[in-house]
Amino acid sequence: MPHQLEGKTALVTGGSRGIGRAIALGLAARGANVVVGYLKNSTRAEDAASAITGTGGRAVAIRADLSRPGEVARLFDEAELAVGTLDIVVANAADFMEKPLADCTEDDYDRIFDTNTKGVFFTLQQAARRLNDGGRIIVSSTGGTRMFFPNQSLYLGSKGAVEQFVRALAGELGGRNITVNAISPGPTDTDMMQDQYRDTIAMMSSFHRIGTPADVADVAVFLASDAARWITGQNIGAGGGVF
């Protein structure tokens, strides 16, 4: 169904690379107008937007520091000016750190939780206030919350929190026919993939390979569509059978 999202508007945070970029392109390929949210790399963000506009879609890249609630509100303001009131919000922005819990500093904690937890919380808050009725909210978590990974306490803890945000918000927005779901990717071939785990985890998959961003993005596109209207408050595993 190539035009199933025709006329819809979407914001994808962390949309300049990896899974976020694949989601942005996937939504656009099905007709949505897309805002690519990013923090650091304007070249990658503009490239993602250009990949959409180059095939006839509508897209714009907007920078925002999601660890600052005022910046989150500005991102939504500018997104609405660019594409109109939003129908789909994908909270995908995240930071990663591998470090033993005993060695983590307060600065480490603030860095990871400011983006992965605080940033997602206030993104969800703005989405809850502004999204059109019948809209879709999708949050990127990780299959790591269902597994055992040493030295990833900050990353996994930050993602565990957002999974609970999803459960609570789904109940709050059901009366407006807004669905709220999380996706938990398994090991995926992005710049967060750690090479020391690649071969071992590939063999843990039922398909004996690492996932691609497109594998995960297709799940997000499904959740954004009308076909997923009866799915809410869920955490969808997209890990190729690893967990």
Side-chain angles (χ1 to χ4, degrees), residues 125-202:
Q125 185 180 78
Q126 289 296 325
R129 292 173 175 175
R130 301 184 187 224
L131 209 63
N132 286 322
D133 289 356
R136 302 285 186 265
I137 298 174
I138 301 162
V139 178
S140 293
S141 186
T142 173
T145 58
R146 310 183 194 186
M147 302 173 73
F148 294 91
F149 285 106
N151 305 323
Q152 295 186 19
S153 57
L154 288 179
Y155 178 69
L156 298 179
S158 69
K159 290 295 191 177
V162 304
E163 292 174 4
Q164 298 308 310
F165 297 164
V166 165
R167 291 168 63 89
L169 189 59
E172 296 169 16
L173 298 183
R176 293 172 52 198
N177 289 319
I178 295 174
T179 66
V180 187
N181 292 290
I183 299 175
S184 285
T188 307
D189 195 9
T190 71
D191 55 15
M192 284 190 181
M193 181 67 217
Q194 297 164 289
D195 287 339
Q196 67 264 35
Y197 296 130
R198 183 179 295 271
D199 292 342
T200 300
I201 293 180

Side-chain angles (χ1 to χ4, degrees), residues 112-133:
I112 298 301
F113 272 77
D114 277 357
T115 298
N116 296 5
T117 308
K118 182 180 179 181
V120 170
F121 181 89
F122 286 101
T123 298
L124 295 180
Q125 185 180 78
Q126 289 296 325
R129 292 173 175 175
R130 301 184 187 224
L131 209 63
N132 286 322
D133 289 356

